[in-house]
Every structure is written in C-alpha cells, then in structure tokens.
Amino acid sequence: MSAAWIPVLGLGVCLLLLLPEPAGSDGAVPIAITCFTRGLDIRKEKADVLCPGGCSLEEFSVFGNIVYASVSSICGAAVHRGVISNSGGPVRIYSLPGRENYSSVVANGIQSQTLSRWSASFTVTKGKSGTQEATGQAVSTARPPTGKRLKKTPEKKTGNKDCKADIAFLIDGSFNIGQRRFNLQKNFVGKVALMLGIGTEGPHVGLVQASEHPKIEFYLKNFTSPKDVLFAIKEVGFRGGNSNTGKALKHTAQKFFTADTGVRRGIPKVVVVFIDGWPSDDIEEAGIVAREFGVNVFIVSVAKPIPEELGMVQDVAFIDKAVCRNNGFFSYHMPNWFGTTKYVKPLVQKLCSHEQMMCSKTCYNSVNIAFLIDGSSSVGDSNFHLMLEFVSNIAKTFEISDIGAKIAAVQFTYDQRTEFSFTDYSTKENVLAVIRNIRYMSGGTATGDAISFTVRNVFGPVRDSPNKNFLVIVTDGQSYDDVRGPAAAAHDAAK
C-alpha cells in the first residue's frame, strides 16, 4: 500500500498525516472539474479530480497554504501548492477539518488570501499519472464556465453599479446578544448583503465580530459574489465576552480598510455597527477615530436596555455621540431581531445614499477655507466679478455643511472687510449666494495686513476646529506692504 505524507500546520505544532491510498483507486477515472470548482463542491473524504488547462491565475480564489479553506478553488490550490502547472492535470484532494486561521502566501504565480475561520478544509497531492483521461460532466460550481452548452445563466458578477461602497458589517458577538439572537443577527446581515447587490463593480462587504477582543472574519477582497458572502456569514461562530464595540470599531477603522484588504479608491468607506442592548466601552471616541480614518459610521441598535438595565449603561446617549450627526440618517433602530425583513430595504437605501456620506473626513468635507479677495482699484469691476466666479467654482467642489467643509471670505484694499465667516453659513447654496453678492470696495493693496487680519479674526475663532485650515489669496499684483512676515506668521499659527 502506498501512502502520501501531507504536512498539516497547527497552532505551534507541525504534524505529518499519513494518508493511505483508497482501496481500489488505481486506474479509477478522475472527476472532471472546472477552474472554479471549490473544495466544498466535492463531498468526499478523498477524491481524484482532473483540472483543465488554461485557467486564469488572476481569477483563482485561494485561501491558505498547504491546508486550504474549502471555499478555495481546487485547481487554484493545486497550482499554488505546485502539484500541477497551469496546463492542468490530475489532482487528489483530501478533506480536512476546519481551522481558525488560513495564511496568505505567494506561490507559483498565485497570491493566496487570509481567512480567519472556515468550517472545513482540504489539501491536495498529485493525482495518479495513469488516470489522465476523464469522462462525464464537470462538477458544477458557483462560477461555471461559459459556452454554448451552458444551460443556466452565469451568476451576475458586476453587482449593483449604482451602489458602490466598501462596507464592513461590525456584528455583536457578546454575551449580551447570546447564541440564538446572534444567529438571527447573521440572518439579517445576510439579507442586507444580498439586497445591496454585491459584485465586482458594486458594493464589496466584509465582516468583523465585536466581543471581548475584535476579530475580522473576512475582508472586502475575500468574496465578491452574493453566494460566497452568504456562505461566509453563515460560517461565522459566536465568540461571547463583553460587548467592546468601541474597541472593535477602532480596530476596524485602523486595520480593515486598507489597500491590501481590498479597499478601492474613490469609493465610500462604511462601517455598519450592530449593537444589541449597549456597549461595554466608549463608543463616542471610537466614532471620532473612525471618521478621522475616512470611515462613515452607521449605528444599528436593537432591543434598547430595559429600565432595570439602564444602570449598567455608561452613557445612555451613546448612539447620538457615536454618529457624526444626530439627524436620524446615521442611526437605525429595530425593536428586536424577529420579523426584521421589513427593515432590510430602508437600511440598504441609506447605505447606497452616497451623497449623504458626510461622516468620513476627506479633503472635500474636512477643511476650513478662507478666500482673501483683492478689491483694489487696479482690479477693476469686471475682473473683480471674474474673481468671484473663480472663488464660487472652487467652493462648489466642497461638501459644505455644519459637519463638513467651512468657507469664509475677506475682501481687502488698504482696509479689510469680512464678507462672511466660517460659522455664518452651513449650506453650499447660501455660501454661493453670498459670494455672488459681494460688493467691490476699490482702493490700495495691502496684502500683508490682510493676511494678519484674516488669521486673527477669521481663523482665530475656529482654532480648536478638527478641520484643516487653508487661506487662498486671489490678487492681481504687488502689495504695498510686507507680505513675507505675515505669511510666515500664518504658517506658524497653523502648526
């Protein structure tokens, strides 16, 4: 009897499994599979399969190294392991138990991905050299090959292009929620993910579990098809412990949304925080940290604390303080986890309302910009109005609001006049209307004095603002006074 030695990595232990060849397998006909057949599609402890040639290495989904999560492509794992080349060939697959962590390793042109947990695994060895030919239909998978003989329509991969967002679902895995409600929570999250329209060009989602210590269950890049996402959510296990939601939110903001984990440029970053009852730690500070990392925070609260439990809540108004704006948009409440289907669509509509994603700190919504406009006689009335049009066009590009960008304007000659300050107007429409109606002063040119005036009177009152400060000077010529000194002082004041 021949045997195959397969290394299996455990926590701090390296073992060798002796896997005997199945009796009577010599000369057996392997099962023909596709490039995308996964380990979970082969429901046998041991099986011989035949991988086709010409599979695209970039499209393989492989999780782990040597031991692979069963959601991985068998052929992709075989190429990654070095069992076969891209020309295909026979592969023997062995089912193994699930494990807590699957590592990320580059091998043979394939970058495998990390995965925190999966319920089943497999490993691969080289198949019998004498069983190269296969008969019968290829095993069906979630990603069937296209062709004239294909009867079923391939799964739509692009997703909902009108709802582009990178979303982390931060679920409650504490003892507050318990095993039963935890399963109901996963069911609800699955429905939301399905309705979002996940796909390569649509929303991407990942999952983080908050408990005593946060755990990223899967990243944005791990799954881009609804079927795989739903399966991954189903496989998440209950952890228990305290509901340290604040700790988990900070961890998500700092570790989840990176280029390596699948974040896309120009796409809103969103974390949907589920809280069953109340958090055990400070969620207000965590919300601030998340926004500074460019993340929009949504709070979904379920089953508010009953009167007898209120004494255990550190801050009753924790939801209002965790969201950037207490206007009802960034918070969502459900009375319990039963009959939640009717709440799915309204939540999805919020998550797809990109124009209201004002909670993340970006260049467009986290700045204070003061325009210092030259109103001297050398400018002239017509050129002055061109200046105002220029200022308006810049202001239009920013998200002006009470929580977003702030705009102010000062006109100067030898004297200075504050046209409006940062706190006067909080909507883009009002700011643009005021800019259009600024009256031309006419006079001399003292730019240095105007800089000092603006720093003291316009930026001074917002010294403690979290926004970054910018001063834009629009002038037509040389100043009659010193500019370098006031400009240097302005730089020092901004430090």
Side-chain angles (χ1 to χ4, degrees):
M1 178 183 294
S2 61
W5 288 88
I6 308 299
V8 179
L9 300 180
L11 296 176
V13 181
C14 186
L15 304 174
L16 289 176
L17 281 184
L18 181 62
L19 300 176
E21 303 284 8
S25 64
D26 293 343
V29 177
I31 303 169
I33 62 175
T34 73
C35 301
F36 307 111
T37 302
R38 303 167 298 181
L40 58 86
D41 296 316
I42 303 296
R43 302 182 182 277
K44 297 181 180 180
E45 290 187 7
K46 309 177 190 70
D48 287 306
V49 298
L50 183 63
C51 288
C55 295
S56 174
L57 299 184
E58 293 78 14
E59 293 189 11
F60 278 137
S61 292
V62 179
F63 303 89
N65 179 42
I66 303 175
V67 176
Y68 302 95
S70 63
V71 73
S72 303
S73 159
I74 296 173
C75 298
V79 174
H80 183 268
R81 185 80 178 93
V83 170
I84 60 172
S85 67
N86 196 36
S87 59
V91 175
R92 176 157 290 171
I93 176 174
Y94 297 91
S95 296
L96 296 171
R99 59 188 304 175
E100 284 296 317
N101 289 291
Y102 296 87
S103 59
S104 172
V105 175
V106 179
N108 299 310
I110 295 179
Q111 169 72 69
S112 69
Q113 302 179 51
T114 59
L115 194 61
S116 63
R117 180 183 177 274
W118 204 255
S119 61
S121 310
F122 69 89
T123 191
V124 289
T125 63
K126 192 168 184 61
K128 284 287 185 179
S129 58
T131 58
Q132 294 283 348
E133 296 182 359
T135 59
Q137 296 284 333
V139 175
S140 62
T141 71
R143 301 181 65 180
T146 57
K148 293 182 179 179
R149 296 183 180 181
L150 185 66
K151 295 182 179 180
K152 294 184 178 180
T153 303
E155 183 180 351
K156 189 176 180 181
K157 302 173 186 176
T158 57
N160 182 6
K161 296 180 182 180
D162 296 327
C163 183
K164 290 186 177 181
D166 288 340
I167 302 172
F169 291 112
L170 179 53
I171 62 174
D172 190 342
S174 69
F175 288 135
N176 270 3
I177 191 169
Q179 180 71 65
R180 184 189 183 199
R181 298 204 304 272
F182 179 77
N183 291 334
L184 292 172
Q185 177 186 213
K186 290 197 301 179
N187 183 50
F188 177 76
V189 172
K191 291 178 181 177
V192 172
L194 190 63
M195 184 169 282
L196 280 169
I198 298 165
T200 54
E201 297 181 36
H204 290 183
V205 302
L207 192 72
V208 183
Q209 185 174 174
S211 57
E212 194 71 34
H213 302 288
K215 182 181 180 183
I216 297 175
E217 301 290 352
F218 59 89
Y219 290 100
L220 295 165
K221 70 177 183 179
N222 289 153
F223 310 107
T224 54
S225 76
K227 183 177 180 180
D228 288 342
V229 168
L230 291 178
F231 193 86
I233 293 172
K234 182 181 178 182
E235 292 296 298
V236 173
F238 177 61
R239 293 178 62 81
N242 287 324
S243 54
N244 291 331
T245 308
K247 183 178 180 180
L249 180 54
K250 282 185 184 179
H251 183 77
T252 303
Q254 296 168 345
K255 304 295 184 182
F256 183 89
F257 294 99
T258 68
D260 291 340
T261 61
V263 165
R264 297 167 290 176
R265 286 187 177 183
I267 303 296
K269 294 181 288 187
V270 182
V271 57
V272 184
V273 183
F274 291 89
I275 300 177
D276 186 287
W278 67 92
S280 303
D281 58 353
D282 185 2
I283 193 173
E284 178 185 3
E285 179 187 351
I288 295 172
V289 170
R291 292 192 291 276
E292 292 297 331
F293 273 83
V295 180
N296 294 277
V297 179
F298 282 80
I299 305 291
V300 179
S301 59
V302 185
K304 291 182 178 180
I306 61 177
E308 292 78 7
E309 297 171 330
L310 289 176
M312 303 172 63
V313 183
Q314 293 184 15
D315 190 345
V316 176
F318 66 88
I319 294 177
D320 295 341
K321 294 180 179 179
V323 296
C324 75
R325 194 174 187 180
N326 184 23
N327 61 355
F329 179 78
F330 296 101
S331 57
Y332 197 65
H333 179 69
M334 298 188 299
N336 53 59
W337 289 110
F338 301 95
T340 56
T341 302
K342 62 183 177 182
Y343 298 104
V344 173
K345 186 175 181 180
L347 180 57
V348 168
Q349 289 173 338
K350 284 174 177 272
L351 299 179
C352 293
S353 300
H354 301 159
E355 70 280 358
Q356 297 193 57
M357 296 290 187
M358 290 290 295
C359 272
S360 60
K361 294 296 183 183
T362 68
C363 178
Y364 294 103
N365 69 2
S366 60
V367 294
N368 297 326
I369 304 177
F371 292 98
L372 193 51
I373 306 169
D374 188 347
S376 63
S377 301
S378 59
V379 172
D381 188 70
S382 61
N383 286 334
F384 182 75
H385 283 90
L386 288 176
M387 282 185 172
L388 297 184
E389 184 178 351
F390 172 74
V391 170
S392 294
N393 288 336
I394 295 176
K396 284 178 184 177
T397 64
F398 289 88
E399 300 295 338
I400 302 169
S401 73
D402 57 343
I403 60 169
K406 306 287 194 303
I407 305 294
V410 174
Q411 185 179 174
F412 71 97
T413 58
Y414 281 139
D415 297 318
Q416 306 85 30
R417 183 173 74 199
T418 302
E419 302 294 350
F420 59 94
S421 66
F422 291 123
T423 57
D424 287 340
Y425 304 103
S426 60
T427 68
K428 186 180 298 187
E429 292 75 15
N430 288 340
V431 167
L432 296 177
V434 175
I435 292 174
R436 285 194 299 267
N437 292 321
I438 292 177
R439 293 177 290 104
Y440 179 38
M441 289 175 63
S442 186
T445 308
T447 309
D449 284 347
I451 293 174
S452 299
F453 173 88
T454 306
V455 170
R456 182 175 61 254
N457 296 285
V458 177
F459 286 104
V462 294
R463 184 180 299 275
D464 297 328
S465 169
N467 289 4
K468 294 182 178 180
N469 296 324
F470 293 89
L471 176 58
V472 179
I473 304 173
V474 187
T475 182
D476 79 328
Q478 187 173 355
S479 175
Y480 293 135
D481 63 352
D482 174 59
V483 176
R484 292 185 179 181
H491 280 291
D492 292 339
K495 292 180 180 179

